[in-house]
């Protein structure tokens, strides 16, 4: 049985994610995991919340909660939304877990032993009123570029200019508002990525099947300017993984934590350990997925992420793995995505612009969103959500093609043959032709899914639904029943076989609709067709069925206009 490890980029803890976040990693990873399980793979599908760093502290302070309590609450909310969108994680972990703390400290110790950690004195802003160094995001002031009064010390969100805290006019602490700020020296640890530059380059160059988006971003970071730079891995914060050299204290680093970018990717490994511990399994159960010397040599590891995460996953996390000198599993394939925009602009929490995951589920069930997002997934370039496009996807694909087919077949059969699948005779030319088209369509669909070309896979799946409608229209059982009931029974039986097939093939994309189709046919499961040429004719005559409720309701123009206005954002 093939073994596939799948990880989705970790959603950050500070709030509910929007549809662009969802389609940029978690949702495509879920479709691929569901597909591989259906094909008989042993799959480990891992995700977690990314909980450390400045934004978590700021969000908790704004909510008036201790940061640990805030993160625990938001983890629960994000987990519930993932379940609402039917994301089939084997485990949804937390980067604040004890497992991640131990592993992060372990990797830091191994890197230090290998001479790949440098101790560097830096000059940073200190706030006597707060009694602490202030990370860039904890410093606010007026932007020297555009005059925006609430620019942060790392970037102005108004004009997007990259900034240093010392660039700000009238800087102040974002915690206390104090303007009594000093510049002091503080020691930090740096990962010496530059020492691994050529090893990383050789590894990346060996990945000839990766999307150009993944490799081009990696090469840009390797070669632009002075090339790959060493990167700080510690911060003066309270919330995070305490700096330790393995299990030993790190002299001079007391009170510091590891930088969130360093510990977050390690959480992929740690979350798998969390899965094993939550299920009462031995250490070997998770290590067989991650240690090549303990069983992971035959694992294929696939990562899903937005393009902004590519540098960390092509360079920094691999540098951590390679630099440890241990036989941890490196990624085999990185599937990266461009951005989903909202009606020609960016999603914005502060401006109420765009649809967020909780709002989406309050409007329509998850399958509606899953289908539109996956059939428009931003693979080749940025994609754009509009309500008009969403309406077309719901009405023309889901309602008119798939839903209409299931409704017509089951209603006709119930009216003419009763509540059981009729016993049809031999196939005629129309059935032979449709079966051949279906077999070819399954091959095309599987080819796209195997290559993780999800937009093309959605197109191939839709074409399979279209094949059923075209067959039904040409065969016309409602006409045949008048003169040749046997022929009408054959057509109906063939159409039922198509519904059973659609339940299997559609499950990765629209799992609730697939379950509804199975339920209507009285099936506990709809196995994937191992042989596309033998995909039909597996539903027994006499199988009881029900006419299901409408699979997909149409979105009318008036409702679309309401939603456009509701989510347009502040003027």
């Amino acid at each position: 049985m093939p073994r596939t490890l799948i990880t989705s980029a970790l959603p950050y803890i500070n709030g509910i994610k929007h549809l662009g976040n969802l389609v940029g990693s978690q949702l495509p990873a879920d479709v691929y995991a569901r597909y591989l399980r259906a094909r008989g793979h042993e799959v480990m599908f891992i995700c977690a919340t990314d909980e450390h760093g400045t934004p978590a502290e700021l969000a908790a302070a704004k909510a008036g909660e201790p940061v640990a309590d805030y993160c625990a609450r938001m983890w629960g909310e994000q987990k519930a939304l993932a379940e609402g969108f039917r994301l089939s994680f084997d485990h949804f972990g937390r980067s604040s877990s004890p497992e991640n703390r131990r592993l992060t400290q372990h990797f830091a110790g191994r890197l230090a032993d290998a001479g790949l950690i440098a101790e560097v004195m830096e000059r940073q802003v200190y706030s006597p009123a707060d009694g602490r160094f202030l990370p860039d995001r904890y410093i606010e002031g007026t932007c020297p570029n555009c005059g925006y009064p609430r620019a942060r010390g790392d970037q102005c969100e108004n004009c997007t200019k990259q900034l240093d805290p010392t660039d700000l006019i009238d800087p102040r602490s974002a915690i206390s508002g104090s303007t009594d700020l000093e510049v002091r020296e503080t020691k930090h640890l740096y990962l010496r990525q530059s020492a691994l530059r050529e090893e990383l380059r050789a590894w990346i160059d060996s990945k000839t099947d990766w999307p150009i988006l993944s490799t081009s971003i990696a090469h840009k970071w390797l070669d632009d300017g002075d090339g790959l730079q060493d990167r700080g891995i510690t911060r003066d914060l309270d919330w995070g993984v305490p700096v330790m050299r393995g299990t030993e204290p790190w002299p001079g680093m007391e009170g510091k934590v590891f930088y969130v970018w360093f510990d977050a990717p390690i959480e992929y490994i740690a979350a798998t350990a969390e899965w094993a511990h939550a299920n009462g399994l031995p250490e070997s159960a998770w290590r067989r997925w991650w240690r090549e010397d303990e069983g992971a040599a035959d694992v294929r590891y696939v990562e899903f992420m937005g393009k902004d995460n590519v540098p960390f996953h092509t360079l920094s996390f691999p540098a951590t793995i390679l630099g440890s000198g241990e036989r941890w599993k490196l990624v085999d394939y990185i599937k990266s995505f461009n951005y989903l925009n909202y009606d020609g602009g960016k999603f914005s929490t502060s401006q109420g612009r765009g649809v967020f995951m909780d709002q989406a589920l309050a409007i329509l069930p998850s399958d509606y969103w899953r289908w539109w997002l996956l059939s428009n997934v931003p693979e080749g370039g940025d994609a754009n959500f509009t309500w008009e496009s969403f309406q077309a996807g719901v009405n023309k694909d889901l309602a008119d093609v798939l839903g209409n087919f299931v409704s017509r077949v089951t209603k006709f059969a119930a009216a003419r043959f009763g509540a059981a699948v009729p016993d049809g005779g031999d196939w005629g030319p129309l059935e032979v032709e449709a079966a051949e088209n279906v077999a070819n369509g399954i091959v095309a669909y599987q080819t796209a899914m195997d290559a993780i070309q999800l937009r093309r896979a959605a197109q191939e799946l839709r074409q399979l639904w279209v094949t059923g409608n075209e067959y039904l229209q040409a065969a016309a059982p409602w006409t045949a029943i008048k003169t040749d009931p046997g022929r009408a029974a054959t057509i109906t039986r063939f159409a039922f076989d198509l519904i059973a097939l659609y339940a299997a093939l559609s499950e990765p994309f629209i799992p609730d609709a697939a379950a509804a189709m199975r339920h209507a046919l009285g099936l506990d499961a709809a196995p994937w067709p191992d042989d596309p040429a033998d995909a039909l004719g597996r539903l027994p005559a006499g199988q009881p069925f029900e006419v299901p409720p409408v699979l997909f309701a149409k979105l009318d123009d008036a409702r679309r206009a309401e939603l456009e206005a509701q989510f347009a954002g502040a003027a």
Side-chain angles (χ1 to χ4, degrees):
M1 182 187 296
R3 300 172 61 213
T4 307
L5 172 65
I6 299 172
T7 60
S8 164
L10 310 187
Y12 200 71
I13 196 69
N14 64 337
I16 303 304
K17 304 299 110 176
H18 57 66
L19 295 182
N21 301 133
L22 177 64
V23 78
S25 56
Q26 292 176 302
L27 186 53
D30 177 69
V31 175
Y32 189 57
R34 287 175 176 273
Y35 168 72
L36 291 183
R37 290 190 192 109
R39 298 297 306 277
H41 287 226
E42 183 183 359
V43 171
M44 178 59 64
F45 179 23
I46 290 295
C47 193
T49 41
D50 182 0
E51 299 190 7
H52 294 139
T54 308
E57 289 192 348
L58 288 175
K62 185 176 181 180
E65 297 177 66
V67 65
D69 294 349
Y70 172 82
C71 288
R73 177 172 65 82
M74 289 308 305
W75 173 81
E77 291 190 22
Q78 291 203 19
K79 185 174 187 292
L81 286 170
E83 291 168 352
F85 274 95
R86 307 296 185 255
L87 303 180
S88 60
F89 303 127
D90 287 287
H91 188 75
F92 186 66
R94 303 182 60 187
S95 68
S96 61
S97 68
E99 289 87 348
N100 197 40
R101 176 179 293 207
R102 287 193 294 270
L103 275 166
T104 298
Q105 293 167 342
H106 169 80
F107 276 107
R110 294 289 304 186
L111 292 164
D113 292 345
L116 293 170
I117 300 289
E119 298 187 4
V120 177
M121 293 301 296
E122 292 184 347
R123 292 171 60 80
Q124 288 190 341
V125 175
Y126 185 86
S127 170
D130 297 301
R132 61 181 294 173
F133 286 96
L134 298 180
D136 296 350
R137 290 193 178 201
Y138 275 33
I139 306 165
E140 294 181 344
T142 300
C143 175
N145 185 54
C146 71
Y148 181 65
R150 295 190 302 279
R152 296 193 311 248
D154 60 346
Q155 186 177 28
C156 174
E157 79 168 1
N158 185 58
C159 69
T160 72
K161 183 176 178 62
Q162 299 282 318
L163 299 170
D164 288 319
T166 52
D167 296 332
L168 294 172
I169 300 168
D170 299 325
R172 60 190 178 275
S173 165
I175 304 170
S176 62
S178 173
T179 58
D180 178 21
L181 305 179
E182 305 172 1
V183 177
R184 296 185 181 182
E185 285 197 334
T186 180
K187 183 165 65 174
H188 282 291
L189 304 179
Y190 274 66
L191 175 59
R192 295 183 57 234
Q193 297 182 142
S194 59
L196 295 166
R197 181 183 179 192
E198 296 312 313
E199 188 173 356
L200 288 165
R201 182 196 305 281
W203 174 69
I204 291 165
D205 287 346
S206 73
K207 304 300 180 182
T208 55
D209 62 335
W210 281 13
I212 188 66
L213 182 62
S214 301
T215 54
S216 62
I217 292 173
H219 280 117
K220 180 179 176 65
W221 279 60
L222 277 171
D223 297 322
D224 273 13
D226 295 327
L228 185 62
Q229 299 296 298
D230 297 342
R231 192 173 180 90
I233 63 168
T234 55
R235 279 290 184 266
D236 291 294
L237 290 172
D238 296 325
W239 177 242
V241 175
V243 175
M244 298 276 286
R245 184 167 178 157
T247 58
E248 301 298 321
W250 203 311
M253 302 304 295
E254 296 81 7
K256 299 179 190 289
V257 300
F258 285 108
Y259 197 179
V260 62
W261 77 259
F262 182 69
D263 81 77
I266 296 170
E267 169 61 11
Y268 295 141
I269 307 173
T272 317
E274 293 170 44
W275 159 81
H277 298 158
N279 287 284
L281 299 171
E283 294 293 291
S284 59
W286 69 265
R287 294 176 74 90
R288 68 186 284 267
W289 288 99
W290 283 103
R291 286 294 295 254
E292 292 191 334
D293 51 346
E294 298 181 41
D298 63 343
V299 169
R300 183 171 189 255
Y301 176 22
V302 182
E303 294 175 346
F304 288 78
M305 70 198 65
K307 60 185 176 183
D308 53 330
N309 274 314
V310 169
F312 299 110
H313 291 78
T314 56
L315 299 168
S316 300
F317 186 37
T320 298
I321 296 289
L322 290 168
S324 74
E326 297 175 322
R327 292 186 59 192
W328 296 97
K329 179 67 183 174
L330 282 163
V331 65
D332 293 298
Y333 190 84
I334 292 180
K335 178 66 176 182
S336 53
F337 296 92
N338 291 282
Y339 295 139
L340 177 69
N341 295 317
Y342 180 82
D343 201 16
K346 292 183 177 180
F347 286 80
S348 172
T349 306
S350 61
Q351 296 177 18
R353 190 170 191 279
V355 186
F356 288 71
M357 288 173 67
D358 55 343
Q359 297 168 328
L361 291 178
I363 296 167
L364 284 168
S366 60
D367 276 357
Y368 293 73
W369 302 101
R370 287 176 66 103
W371 175 254
W372 188 90
L373 291 168
L374 291 162
S375 57
N376 294 274
V377 64
E379 289 174 314
D382 290 352
N384 188 44
F385 178 93
T386 68
W387 286 103
E388 185 176 3
S389 174
F390 179 70
Q391 180 189 33
V394 169
N395 293 356
K396 295 180 181 179
D397 296 348
L398 298 178
D400 285 347
V401 182
L402 178 60
N404 181 57
F405 180 80
V406 173
S407 178
R408 291 174 78 188
V409 172
T410 54
K411 286 180 177 178
F412 174 81
R416 295 294 188 167
F417 298 103
V421 175
D423 186 3
D426 293 337
W427 286 0
L430 286 177
E431 288 73 38
V432 172
E433 180 185 11
E436 184 178 341
N437 290 338
V438 164
N440 292 335
I442 293 172
V443 171
Y445 176 43
Q446 292 180 168
T447 300
M449 287 298 292
D450 290 340
I452 323 182
Q453 295 175 349
L454 300 181
R455 187 182 286 218
R456 184 160 69 86
Q459 293 169 350
E460 298 294 351
L461 178 58
R462 185 187 187 278
Q463 184 55 47
L464 283 160
W465 302 338
V466 168
T467 296
N469 281 273
E470 292 174 343
Y471 163 75
L472 194 65
Q473 199 63 28
W478 47 85
T479 300
I481 192 74
K482 299 173 185 177
T483 58
D484 190 348
R487 173 62 185 156
T490 297
I491 297 166
T492 305
R493 170 81 179 279
F494 188 86
F496 269 110
D497 282 326
L498 285 171
I499 294 175
L501 177 66
Y502 294 161
L505 300 181
S506 304
E507 197 274 343
F509 283 81
I510 44 174
D512 285 352
M517 286 185 273
R518 290 196 303 271
H519 178 78
L521 299 183
L523 300 175
D524 294 328
W528 197 274
D530 293 328
D531 181 359
D534 190 33
L536 299 170
R538 298 190 294 173
L539 193 66
Q543 174 77 19
F545 74 90
E546 299 174 358
V547 177
V550 173
L551 283 185
F552 295 100
K554 287 194 172 184
L555 184 64
D556 63 34
D557 291 344
R559 179 59 173 152
R560 186 199 76 198
E562 288 177 6
L563 293 167
E564 283 177 333
Q566 179 180 347
F567 293 99

